[in-house]
Amino acid sequence: MTNHHLKHSILSSVFLMPSPSSSSFAYSLYMVSKLMVTIIVPLFLLSLFVVQVSSCNQIDKLSLLAFSGNISTSPPYPSLNWSDSLDCCSWEGITCDGDLRVTHLLLPSRGLTGFISPSLTNLSSLSQLNLSHNRLSGTLQHHFFSLLNHLLVLDLSYNRLSGELPPFVGDISGKNSSGGVIQELDLSSNLFNGTLPNSLLEHLAAAAAGGSFVSLNVSNNSLTGPIPSDLFDAVSLTEISLPLNRLTGTIADGIVGLTNLTVLELYSNHFTGSIPHDIGELSKLERLLLHVNNLTGTMPPSLINCVNLVVLNLRVNLLEGNLSAFNFSRFLGLTTLDLGNNHFTGVLPPTLYACKSLSAVRLASNKLEGEISPKILELESLSFLSISTNKLRNVTGALRILRGLKNLSTLMLSMNFFNEMIPQDVNIIEPDGFQKLQVLGFGGCNFTGQIPGWLVKLKKLEALDLSFNQISGPIPLWLGTLPQLFYMDLSVNLLTGVFPVELTELPALASQQANDKVERTYFELPVFANANNVSLLQYNQLSGLPPAIYLGSNHLNGSIPIEIGKLKVLHQLDLKKNNFSGNIPVQFSNLTNLEKLDLSGNQLSGEIPDSLRRLHFLSFFSVAFNNLQGQIPTGGQFDTFSNSSFEGNVQLCGLVIQRSCPSQQNTNTTAASRSSNKKVLLVLIIGVSFGFAFLIGVLTLWILSKRRVNPGGVSDKIEMESISAYSNSGVHPEVDKEASLVVLFPNKNNETKDLTIFEILKSTENFSQANIIGCGGFGLVYKATLPNGTTLAIKKLSGDLGLMEREFKAEVEALSTAQHENLVALQGYGVHDGFRLLMYNYMENGSLDYWLHEKPDGASQLDWPTRLKIAQGTLGYIPPEYGQAWVATLRGDVYSFGVVMLELLTGRRPVDVCKPKMSRELVSWVQQMRIEGKQDQVFDPLLRGKGFEGQMLKVLDVASVCVSHNPFKRPSIREVVEWLKNVGSDNQPTQK
């Protein structure tokens, strides 16, 4: 039978009605077939038609395609896969309403690069736009804010958008086409400059009149000018966040009309004047953050009406007045209070003890006096207390009282109780006092007496500061038994006796395993260290403190015990200005994590052990002013130390101090004797030398022509307030032209063409504490905002290593030519008063160390695809502490890149925040785990069980090659990039 006949036969069986004599089954079949033909088939055909015509609005679709044409993604993020052949309502990040109009465009944390197309303004039904946490750049086009005519939520935070904010264009009434008004506007963490447009604020104020606009966040930009008064008309606002800008002027009284505010954040700006007198009108406030400004006057009495306050931070201002006269008793929900670094007087406020929810209080660096009251015990939740740098009395009574605060973990009382005797009674903290105490600061009090025996009972103690006192007697042996102590500062005292061997048994310094078990808590408020060894650095968590022993400037004697080699976790050891004698123990070479070793100003003899060259992370080394002899080792880190590290040892010799060793002198004498009879050759040599000198001169002029050199400039006198009585690392206010130099490298991306040392001093406020943004290799990093609006990161290298040190300049110029996406661009360098400065591009997104270890919940936000992207270098914000630790050669940079990959994989901190040299302990631990076949156990617990183990193992293999102990086996950066290119290209977890 043919197909045609078969088809005809089937149709006949369907459409031919059976005769009445047919069976009931045939008749039923006929009725079903008829139903299918008359009802179901037409419905099916209609559905096909609907599928074809039910597509999103064509204008919306074309607008989205134009937007996607200006952006891209990079691995490990897959492309958007928006196709012209598909319904745009089904595209990733797109939501449509019943009329098939686009209402939501949500693509946060999607790895987008490029710029925002003007075509988005054609999406007339769009109500929510979220492109936050990407890498979008460029400016916002003039009509961009016309979107606010219909948007309810706009979030462009954490991008690289720049330029001035455009004006608002549209209906100024605040009503939008969707019938609602804008509710949330977030433009934070970008590069916007200029002022807030009045037209924009007028629209927001009109929107707020409708009762819906609740949140404005433009923090962490470079906005200037005062707070526009139009903002004060936005009466429905609940949150205003404008910190980390360059806003000026006063906080106008009009702000008190925003009576719905719960959050007001204006910190880290340049506001002046007083806090508004009627600030108490903001009775709903929960967070008031005005710190790091130039506010003056007193705390307004009306502030007591802000009864809902949870956090109050007025730190680092110029506030004054009798603090004890202020009534704190109504702040029953207050948990955090920071009034430090002001000029408050009086006693500790008695009404403060009514704030029973307080867990953190800082009143440091004021002019408070008197004694600590027993009423402080009413603050049962208090865990952080800092009253340093005041004029408190009666340390014995203070300890007897404070021991009753059972939750206290951080106690900073430095620079108080002047000239008192530190309590010696071992029972002073009984019963069970300070059992949770982790940090104890008693520095700069000029205490007399001996190291108190009651410290042995503080089994949780991790950091102890007794520096800058007059404590005498020997170092007690029991200090070596404190199980968690890893930071100990006993410098600048009158201690006598020997270096106790028992100190080499400190568990947290002798064993990495024991150190890993030490509790690493976040401080409720930052801790500022005042001793010279970590001058003025802000710490947000305990792990930021370096494992260290500081015993400098005492009267210790005897030999340095050979057991010192047991302290394998130690990063810094300072024994300067004592009376130690004997040889330098070769066991120092076992301290593979050591970054600072200061043995200067003692009576050490013998030779410098050649094995110290194995200390690859040693960034500071000094044996100056001893009785050492012999040749100074060469190679390794010794090639980076200046002659000041070895001065005052008349029997030392070597190239670094330009003193020939005896064997070299004999060789030179013989050579001179032979050459004395060859006058013709001598004349020839002199001629060649002059020619070579002439060539060098020409090359020097050519180099200078390629590089702009700016001297100190005009001799302005800069008057800056010293932050710390003990800080000796600042620059002198009256600058010597001859001792100041700024060199800028030619770079098409460098907006700064001329720069003087005076502009650097002004832009960093004389390297003030408020401008510290972190640490880099060898020193602190400061944020510098130049007059032209450019922001730089200025690294001030620690130590006076000489004005014209050739090694420093050679290293800097080598770094300036190393162009790679994983290196922060070096813009130039400077020398001032013997201190050396490095100038880098400022990183808006913060460092990897901050995200992984400092930012609350930061590590959990970095999932494996994000960490892989960092490893592949596509984010471009690998912090300078990683890219600059090994700048001498590219192979060194590969090593640092490998350590970054290990940190991303393990979640462990391989560096000390203050001295970011990579720790070999992390490398050794990972390699040992691989040998034991436990490589799966090295991964960060936050990454395990997510299905990305295969990708992580590949990256672990690459990292292990990069950190090979043999530098000649390490790959090039190009090879590493090639190996990582295809890892995670599908960005999909592996199914188990």
Side-chain angles (χ1 to χ4, degrees):
M1 181 182 295
T2 66
N3 290 336
H4 173 75
H5 291 137
L6 177 62
K7 179 178 179 181
H8 177 76
S9 175
I10 294 175
L11 289 174
S12 298
S13 66
V14 172
F15 291 106
L16 293 180
M17 178 176 177
S19 63
S21 59
S22 301
S23 66
S24 60
F25 173 76
Y27 185 77
S28 299
L29 180 62
Y30 164 76
M31 295 302 296
V32 170
S33 301
K34 185 175 180 180
L35 179 64
M36 291 176 60
V37 172
T38 58
I39 299 178
I40 299 179
V41 171
L43 287 176
F44 174 71
L45 295 176
L46 179 62
S47 68
L48 292 178
F49 174 77
V50 171
V51 169
Q52 292 297 319
V53 300
S54 296
S55 180
C56 65
N57 179 276
Q58 287 302 302
I59 295 177
D60 290 355
K61 183 176 183 179
L62 293 175
S63 300
L64 291 174
L65 289 174
F67 166 73
S68 66
N70 291 308
I71 61 174
S72 60
T73 59
S74 52
Y77 295 96
S79 60
L80 282 180
N81 250 347
W82 287 2
S83 173
D84 187 39
S85 62
L86 298 176
D87 174 19
C88 68
C89 291
S90 64
W91 289 351
E92 178 188 352
I94 303 299
T95 302
C96 297
D97 60 14
D99 296 325
L100 303 179
R101 298 301 305 272
V102 174
T103 60
H104 293 61
L105 173 53
L106 308 177
L107 293 172
S109 303
R110 194 53 182 75
L112 303 180
T113 59
F115 64 93
I116 298 177
S117 170
S119 66
L120 289 186
T121 58
N122 297 323
L123 300 175
S124 58
S125 295
L126 193 65
S127 62
Q128 293 194 26
L129 174 60
N130 188 342
L131 301 175
S132 63
H133 295 272
N134 285 293
R135 297 181 64 199
L136 299 171
S137 57
T139 60
L140 298 180
Q141 56 96 19
H142 184 73
H143 294 281
F144 179 81
F145 282 135
S146 65
L147 283 167
L148 298 182
N149 285 314
H150 44 82
L151 276 181
L152 300 178
V153 176
L154 174 59
D155 190 349
L156 302 179
S157 61
Y158 290 93
N159 278 287
R160 298 179 178 181
L161 301 170
S162 58
E164 295 188 0
L165 293 173
F168 171 76
V169 179
D171 182 7
I172 206 68
S173 68
K175 289 283 186 179
N176 62 41
S177 58
S178 64
V181 293
I182 183 70
Q183 298 173 358
E184 298 179 17
L185 177 60
D186 192 345
L187 306 175
S188 63
S189 297
N190 278 286
L191 305 173
F192 292 121
N193 55 40
T195 60
L196 288 167
N198 287 329
S199 59
L200 173 62
L201 295 177
E202 288 177 15
H203 173 75
L204 297 178
S212 296
F213 183 44
V214 295
S215 177
L216 173 64
N217 189 344
V218 290
S219 63
N220 197 19
N221 282 284
S222 297
L223 299 176
T224 56
I227 302 176
S229 58
D230 291 317
L231 182 62
F232 305 147
D233 296 327
V235 292
S236 66
L237 270 175
T238 62
E239 297 183 13
I240 294 181
S241 185
L242 306 177
L244 297 164
N245 281 288
R246 293 185 288 143
L247 300 175
T248 55
T250 62
I251 303 175
D253 291 336
I255 202 169
V256 304
L258 303 178
T259 55
N260 289 304
L261 278 182
T262 60
V263 175
L264 179 57
E265 298 180 338
L266 302 178
Y267 61 88
S268 293
N269 280 289
H270 302 291
F271 291 119
T272 57
S274 59
I275 300 173
H277 182 267
D278 294 322
I279 191 76
E281 297 291 327
L282 306 180
S283 58
K284 296 181 181 180
L285 269 184
E286 297 176 6
R287 293 171 56 85
L288 179 59
L289 307 179
L290 305 180
H291 53 287
V292 193
N293 279 291
N294 298 303
L295 300 176
T296 55
T298 63
M299 292 177 62
S302 70
L303 185 61
I304 64 174
N305 295 322
C306 300
V307 295
N308 292 299
L309 275 176
V310 177
V311 178
L312 175 60
N313 194 335
L314 305 178
R315 182 180 78 239
V316 191
N317 278 290
L318 304 172
L319 301 173
E320 58 187 5
N322 188 341
L323 194 61
S324 54
F326 186 86
N327 184 7
F328 290 88
S329 62
R330 300 185 66 187
F331 298 147
L332 300 181
L334 192 66
T335 63
T336 303
L337 174 66
D338 193 343
L339 304 178
N341 299 86
N342 282 287
H343 303 301
F344 291 119
T345 58
V347 299
L348 297 179
T351 57
L352 187 64
Y353 309 132
C355 307
K356 300 188 186 304
S357 298
L358 275 173
S359 62
V361 174
R362 177 193 279 111
L363 303 174
S365 297
N366 281 288
K367 300 176 182 179
L368 303 176
E369 55 188 11
E371 301 182 9
I372 294 178
S373 166
K375 288 184 174 293
I376 199 173
L377 297 179
E378 296 178 21
L379 304 179
E380 296 180 359
S381 300
L382 195 64
S383 61
F384 181 104
L385 178 61
S386 175
I387 326 178
S388 297
T389 319
N390 281 287
K391 300 176 182 179
L392 301 181
R393 303 187 305 273
N394 190 5
V395 63
T396 300
L399 288 175
R400 292 188 186 278
I401 293 169
L402 294 175
R403 69 185 181 186
L405 293 173
K406 301 303 183 182
N407 290 304
L408 200 61
S409 60
T410 300
L411 179 59
M412 304 295 292
L413 297 175
S414 299
M415 298 184 68
N416 284 291
F417 315 111
F418 293 107
N419 301 315
E420 296 185 23
M421 175 178 285
I422 192 167
Q424 303 292 307
D425 184 3
V426 295
N427 297 317
I428 193 171
I429 63 171
E430 295 292 346
D432 300 326
F434 299 130
Q435 290 307 296
K436 292 186 177 181
L437 197 64
Q438 296 173 304
V439 179
L440 177 60
F442 264 140
C445 298
N446 213 30
F447 281 139
T448 58
Q450 298 190 356
I451 297 176
W454 48 266
L455 290 174
V456 73
K457 300 180 181 181
L458 308 184
K459 301 303 182 182
K460 295 285 188 179
L461 193 64
E462 300 180 27
L464 172 64
D465 182 9
L466 295 177
S467 62
F468 289 90
N469 286 294
Q470 296 190 52
I471 297 174
S472 57
I475 299 174
L477 308 184
W478 48 257
L479 268 180
T481 66
L482 293 177
Q484 301 196 42
L485 186 66
F486 71 89
Y487 178 95
M488 178 173 60
D489 192 348
L490 305 180
S491 60
V492 194
N493 276 288
L494 304 174
L495 298 174
T496 55
V498 300
F499 186 111
V501 175
E502 287 74 11
L503 285 187
T504 66
E505 303 291 340
L506 275 168
L509 292 178
S511 166
Q512 185 63 51
Q513 184 177 7
N515 187 273
D516 290 341
K517 294 180 180 179
V518 174
E519 186 177 0
R520 298 290 196 255
T521 57
Y522 282 89
F523 295 122
E524 290 85 347
L525 288 168
V527 167
F528 296 90
N530 282 324
N532 284 348
N533 26 51
V534 282
S535 175
L536 300 176
L537 187 63
Q538 173 179 316
Y539 294 96
N540 293 317
Q541 68 179 54
L542 265 172
S543 61
L545 290 167
I549 295 177
Y550 303 110
L551 300 178
S553 299
N554 280 286
H555 301 300
L556 302 173
N557 54 40
S559 60
I560 301 173
I562 60 175
E563 290 82 1
I564 198 77
K566 295 180 179 180
L567 300 174
K568 297 183 181 297
V569 185
L570 194 66
H571 285 197
Q572 300 190 13
L573 178 61
D574 188 347
L575 303 180
K576 67 174 180 287
K577 295 183 181 179
N578 281 286
N579 296 311
F580 290 115
S581 58
N583 295 331
I584 298 176
V586 296
Q587 287 78 11
F588 272 129
S589 59
N590 295 333
L591 308 184
T592 54
N593 289 308
L594 201 60
E595 299 166 0
K596 175 180 179 179
L597 178 58
D598 194 342
L599 304 176
S600 60
N602 283 286
Q603 300 178 27
L604 299 172
S605 57
E607 298 185 349
I608 301 174
D610 191 65
S611 60
L612 296 187
R613 293 185 303 170
R614 298 203 297 265
L615 300 178
H616 299 294
F617 307 118
L618 196 61
S619 60
F620 180 90
F621 176 75
S622 180
V623 290
F625 301 103
N626 279 283
N627 300 315
L628 299 171
Q629 61 184 13
Q631 185 170 357
I632 297 173
T634 58
Q637 292 297 96
F638 274 83
D639 290 343
T640 68
F641 302 139
S642 69
N643 58 356
S644 62
S645 296
F646 309 99
E647 63 181 331
N649 294 275
V650 296
Q651 298 186 66
L652 278 180
C653 60
L655 182 62
V656 66
I657 58 175
Q658 299 181 348
R659 185 184 301 146
S660 299
C661 294
S663 58
Q664 295 174 333
Q665 291 176 349
N666 293 337
T667 302
N668 293 338
T669 301
T670 303
S673 177
R674 288 197 304 265
S675 63
S676 63
N677 296 323
K678 301 180 179 180
K679 295 183 179 180
V680 177
L681 180 61
L682 179 60
V683 171
L684 183 60
I685 292 174
I686 293 175
V688 171
S689 299
F690 275 110
F692 184 76
F694 176 77
L695 178 61
I696 291 297
V698 172
L699 288 174
T700 302
L701 291 175
W702 180 81
I703 291 173
L704 290 176
S705 70
K706 297 295 182 181
R707 178 179 291 114
R708 184 180 298 272
V709 180
N710 299 317
V714 294
S715 56
D716 296 338
K717 182 177 180 181
I718 303 172
E719 296 181 358
M720 299 288 184
E721 182 180 3
S722 176
I723 298 176
S724 170
Y726 295 126
S727 177
N728 65 355
S729 59
V731 293
H732 196 278
E734 297 186 5
V735 179
D736 181 4
K737 290 183 182 179
E738 301 300 324
S740 302
L741 177 72
V742 176
V743 177
L744 299 178
F745 296 111
N747 188 330
K748 64 181 180 180
N749 296 321
N750 190 352
E751 298 179 2
T752 304
K753 306 301 181 183
D754 295 287
L755 187 62
T756 67
I757 195 67
F758 300 101
E759 290 173 318
I760 293 177
L761 293 176
K762 289 180 180 179
S763 62
T764 61
E765 298 176 348
N766 205 21
F767 296 104
S768 73
Q769 167 185 322
N771 288 316
I772 294 175
I773 56 176
C775 293
F778 311 106
L780 298 178
V781 182
Y782 298 81
K783 182 178 181 180
T785 304
L786 304 180
N788 65 358
T790 302
T791 304
L792 297 177
I794 308 283
K795 183 187 297 182
K796 185 179 181 184
L797 303 188
S798 55
D800 184 354
L801 301 183
L803 176 61
M804 300 297 291
E805 185 186 349
R806 287 178 295 176
E807 292 82 355
F808 164 65
K809 290 188 175 182
E811 178 177 333
V812 166
E813 293 183 13
L815 177 59
S816 71
T817 62
Q819 301 297 324
H820 189 271
E821 61 185 351
N822 298 319
L823 287 174
V824 179
L826 179 69
Q827 300 293 346
Y829 68 92
V831 179
H832 170 64
D833 198 23
F835 291 95
R836 306 177 301 174
L837 311 173
L838 297 178
M839 288 164 274
Y840 293 91
N841 285 340
Y842 176 68
M843 297 176 302
E844 294 290 342
N845 288 332
S847 70
L848 178 62
D849 182 87
Y850 167 74
W851 277 87
L852 278 179
H853 309 295
E854 293 287 334
K855 179 179 172 63
D857 300 323
S860 61
Q861 296 180 42
L862 297 180
D863 58 9
W864 172 245
T866 303
R867 298 192 194 194
L868 177 60
K869 187 170 186 178
I870 296 174
Q872 292 169 323
T874 54
L875 286 181
Y877 64 78
I878 291 182
E881 49 260 41
Y882 302 105
Q884 297 160 12
W886 292 76
V887 297
T889 65
L890 282 177
R891 291 192 180 275
D893 183 59
V894 168
Y895 183 93
S896 66
F897 195 25
V899 175
V900 171
M901 286 190 281
L902 291 182
E903 182 176 12
L904 290 166
L905 287 163
T906 65
R908 293 192 175 201
R909 188 180 227 154
V911 298
D912 163 33
V913 172
C914 294
K915 293 290 184 181
K917 293 279 192 173
M918 285 66 65
S919 170
R920 212 172 272 279
E921 289 293 332
L922 175 61
V923 174
S924 301
W925 175 72
V926 170
Q927 290 174 341
Q928 183 62 35
M929 295 293 283
R930 281 167 58 84
I931 292 173
E932 297 175 2
K934 301 177 181 178
Q935 53 265 35
D936 289 342
Q937 299 179 26
V938 307
F939 300 137
D940 190 334
L942 294 173
L943 303 178
R944 298 177 191 172
K946 307 295 185 182
F948 291 105
E949 282 76 7
Q951 296 178 16
M952 292 191 291
L953 286 172
K954 291 179 182 179
V955 176
L956 181 61
D957 290 338
V958 175
S960 298
V961 177
C962 292
V963 297
S964 171
H965 289 302
N966 186 346
F968 296 101
K969 292 184 178 181
R970 297 172 194 160
S972 66
I973 278 287
R974 188 182 302 274
E975 290 173 316
V976 175
V977 172
E978 188 65 29
W979 291 343
L980 291 177
K981 182 187 300 182
N982 296 321
V983 176
S985 57
D986 57 357
N987 197 35
Q988 296 298 319
T990 303
Q991 299 298 324
K992 293 186 176 181

